[in-house]
């Protein structure tokens, strides 16, 4: 039960703080496109911004993988 609540909280944080500001495009999406384009002109503050907006997504992926791993290890009866 606790892991389900953790995943839900991580999802809420990812969808709010991870995507904010939402207009003109989600912030993390803009940073990912910038990095995919070679990260030309990115400064330290831009990298820090990428880490701060990407952390909720990394935590969400980690919790989902952890939950999936625990479910796959349980013996089926």
């Amino acid at each position: 039960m606790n892991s389900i609540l953790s995943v839900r909280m991580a999802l809420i944080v990812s969808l709010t703080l991870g995507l904010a500001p939402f207009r003109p495009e989600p912030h993390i999406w803009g940073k990912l496109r910038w990095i995919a384009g070679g990260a030309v002109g990115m400064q330290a503050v831009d990298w820090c911004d990428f880490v701060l907006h990407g952390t909720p997504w990394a935590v969400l992926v980690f919790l989902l993988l952890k939950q999936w791993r625990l479910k796959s290890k349980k013996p089926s009866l």
Side-chain angles (χ1 to χ4, degrees):
M1 183 70 136
N2 193 16
S3 65
I4 293 172
L5 293 175
S6 297
V7 170
R8 286 183 184 172
M9 181 59 83
L11 181 62
I12 290 169
V13 172
S14 294
L15 292 175
T16 56
L17 296 176
L19 292 176
F22 302 100
R23 292 203 171 132
E25 69 180 4
H27 203 57
I28 190 69
W29 182 249
K31 296 292 181 188
L32 286 170
R33 286 186 0 182
W34 197 357
I35 292 169
V40 176
M42 281 187 81
Q43 299 176 354
V45 69
D46 297 315
W47 286 104
C48 182
D49 196 33
F50 171 71
V51 169
L52 290 176
H53 285 279
T55 298
W57 294 101
V59 170
L60 178 63
V61 168
F62 172 76
L63 290 173
L64 288 172
L65 288 174
K66 182 178 171 185
Q67 189 175 24
W68 173 73
R69 186 174 172 219
L70 289 175
K71 283 186 178 181
S72 66
K73 281 191 173 184
K74 288 184 180 177
S76 58
L77 298 174

